[in-house]
Amino acid sequence: MDKTKKGYNRRDFLTTIGSAAAAGLLAKVPLGAQMTPVGAKAAEPGPKPLTRVLGKTGIRVPIVSMGVMNADNPALVKRSFEMGIRHFDTAWGYQKGRNEEMVGTVLKELNVREQAVIATKVPPGRPEMMDQMGDKLVEEEFLARFDQSLARLQTGRVEILYVHNISDPKMLMRPGILSAVDKLKKAKKALFIGFSTHMNLAECIEAAVPMGRFDVILTAINFSMANDTALLAAMAKAAKAGIGLVAMKTQCRQAWAKESGAAGPEYHEGTVWHSALLKWALRLESVATAIPGYTTFQQLETDWPVAFNLDYTPEEAKFLASPGVQLALGGVCRQCGGCVGSCPQGVDVPALLRAHMYAADYGNFMEMRRALDEIGAGRGLQACAGCRECTAACVRGVQIARRLGELQAIFA
Ligand code: SF4
Ligand code: SF4
């Protein structure tokens, strides 16, 4: 486990934000100089964030990065860089491309492209559509989308390119995808290749290790998965093999937990649930960095200090040990796929619950729409509209019928 800085407080943090520029790969620009008004005395060097290397890529970044997906304020991206965050995660599909444009514009305006690590994700297409597409077409589509991403990001390369949303290991082996990413890596348009996964996580990660083709994996991982020994073992194996693991969905906030009363106000008020859950994920030795999807300056100021000290405060330890919180987290959909096949209409229940999460928990209705659009024909919400009683069953206690009812109400 990393050494942590003791005695660090918010005041120190606010007065020493410039010091984070010293993070390995990012050493070229003295960020403190950017933060110091002309004529003012430069700040003393202060605490530095903990950094880790992303597997064999050699890229060293602070353990807290920015998941840009839900953010639409360029000032928040700018402030994140100024505070010391260096790794920005976006995707071809986020906000119909505006998310990538925002990241590209901010880095250009700050003139810091060479100090930043950009990760973007390109979706290969729906599996059932890909079944009908030849590999040549799959490759062409992927390359065309990636070129769009580069143009929006105003750059000639990204450090990390993920194949977006892999839920079936077979997709990792699709020749059209592999030939596309190989070409991009060879052309140095994508320095490192990875994939993101929301479902069948352990299976996908396990499959990737012997392939030796992927440098980085972006995986969902949070406290609700603490007993998922298959996933934790797969992550450890991948890390040991030199694959850089990036954690997403670390804070798993669930709006419904409030209404259910399963967890007390500590789950919804204050900041302890953000910092406690983010620390839990980052204390996993297999995880190199996390991409919390903060959308406000207040959330940034909660998440970023976690990069300096992974020790739990007494409040955080109490939060994680709370039976109410554990009960609430037990009802979080972990996208395990255990309900697949339980709907007689063949509905893609995990995908619908992911769309529900985007809308109800993140308030990101555009991403909800995109997630719904990605569901195969006949397997989406329309099929539920004519259903008198939901019989889909979760192996872990998620109230599927209730969540789908909420999704229908949101979507209507
Ligand atoms: S609803 Fe339950 S079974 Fe289905 S993916 Fe979510 S956690 Fe797994
Ligand atoms: S509401 Fe009906 S169609 Fe929709 S998931 Fe449940 S059982 Fe399937």
Side-chain angles (χ1 to χ4, degrees):
M1 186 59 62
D2 301 274
K3 288 177 188 165
T4 52
K5 303 276 180 189
K6 308 274 184 191
Y8 176 78
N9 62 36
R10 177 182 152 84
R11 188 161 166 268
D12 294 334
F13 168 61
L14 290 174
T15 54
T16 57
I17 50 180
S19 67
L25 172 92
L26 322 161
K28 289 183 187 167
V29 167
L31 188 60
Q34 293 181 2
M35 297 296 296
T36 306
V38 175
K41 199 177 162 188
E44 290 296 315
K48 293 176 183 173
L50 301 169
T51 62
R52 292 180 187 155
V53 177
L54 266 173
K56 288 182 182 167
T57 69
I59 295 176
R60 178 175 286 279
V61 286
I63 59 174
V64 173
S65 300
M66 181 178 188
V68 190
M69 181 179 85
N70 296 313
D72 59 4
N73 182 355
L76 187 64
V77 181
K78 179 171 184 271
R79 181 70 175 146
S80 299
F81 185 90
E82 289 171 344
M83 290 176 95
I85 287 175
R86 291 295 178 268
H87 170 210
F88 298 87
D89 181 280
T90 180
W92 176 84
Y94 292 167
Q95 299 169 9
K96 296 186 188 303
R98 289 199 296 279
N99 204 251
E100 288 181 324
E101 285 170 359
M102 177 175 69
V103 171
T105 299
V106 170
L107 295 179
K108 190 171 184 184
E109 285 177 1
L110 290 174
N111 194 24
V112 294
R113 172 64 187 94
E114 294 309 310
Q115 286 74 57
V117 173
I118 297 180
T120 196
K121 316 180 200 73
V122 170
R126 291 181 193 156
E128 75 275 9
M129 278 176 62
M130 288 180 62
D131 286 346
Q132 296 155 27
M133 290 163 71
D135 281 311
K136 186 76 188 144
L137 189 54
V138 169
E139 181 190 308
E140 284 172 4
E141 285 280 315
F142 193 91
L143 292 174
R145 288 178 174 187
F146 180 74
D147 277 344
Q148 276 185 309
S149 289
L150 281 189
R152 292 165 179 164
L153 288 162
Q154 303 174 58
T155 185
R157 59 143 216 283
V158 295
E159 282 65 35
I160 302 168
L161 167 62
Y162 295 110
V163 183
H164 200 168
N165 194 14
I166 294 293
S167 57
D168 182 343
K170 284 206 294 280
M171 290 284 283
L172 294 175
M173 295 153 199
R174 179 76 196 237
I177 297 174
L178 291 177
S179 56
V181 295
D182 282 351
K183 280 185 180 173
L184 293 172
K185 195 169 182 181
K186 197 169 173 198
K188 296 193 175 4
K189 288 183 170 183
L191 300 188
F192 299 101
I193 301 299
F195 64 89
S196 64
T197 179
H198 300 266
M199 203 174 121
N200 296 328
L201 309 169
E203 212 181 330
C204 293
I205 296 170
E206 278 277 352
V209 173
M211 288 178 72
R213 306 279 297 252
F214 297 98
D215 309 299
V216 188
I217 297 175
L218 174 60
T219 183
I221 179 71
N222 57 55
F223 186 52
S224 78
M225 303 167 177
N227 297 323
D228 191 337
T229 50
L231 174 58
L232 296 174
M235 289 172 64
K237 194 190 277 189
K240 195 172 172 198
I243 296 175
L245 286 175
V246 181
M248 64 174 166
K249 313 243 176 311
T250 46
Q251 277 120 302
C252 57
R253 187 179 190 191
Q254 302 281 311
W256 54 265
K258 186 174 187 177
E259 68 201 49
S260 75
E266 71 272 21
Y267 195 81
H268 310 285
E269 295 164 9
T271 58
V272 70
W273 60 272
H274 271 296
S275 56
L277 294 177
L278 184 53
K279 281 183 183 178
W280 182 87
L282 285 168
R283 286 165 66 104
L284 294 172
E285 291 191 12
S286 58
V287 170
T289 187
I291 54 163
Y294 53 85
T295 56
T296 67
F297 292 97
Q298 183 190 29
Q299 289 167 358
L300 167 62
E301 291 190 5
T302 298
D303 290 348
W304 178 236
V306 169
F308 294 77
N309 185 353
L310 288 177
D311 291 343
Y312 293 128
T313 63
E315 293 76 23
E316 289 163 348
K318 190 173 157 210
F319 172 88
L320 292 173
S322 156
V325 168
Q326 296 197 354
L327 189 64
L329 290 172
V332 170
C333 174
R334 277 160 265 188
Q335 295 284 294
C336 68
C339 53
V340 169
S342 67
C343 164
Q345 315 293 330
V347 161
D348 188 344
V349 176
L352 287 182
L353 290 176
R354 192 146 72 89
H356 176 276
M357 175 193 68
Y358 289 135
D361 303 326
Y362 296 0
N364 187 336
F365 299 101
M366 199 179 284
E367 199 58 23
M368 173 200 77
R369 184 70 208 222
R370 194 177 65 81
L372 291 175
D373 287 347
E374 283 179 358
I375 299 173
R379 303 186 64 215
L381 205 52
Q382 300 85 346
C384 301
C387 191
R388 291 178 62 186
E389 186 181 0
C390 184
T391 54
C394 171
V395 296
R396 301 172 190 273
V398 172
Q399 297 177 46
I400 293 176
R402 181 171 183 175
R403 305 280 82 84
L404 296 188
E406 291 166 354
L407 186 60
Q408 282 181 309
I410 293 166
F411 191 66

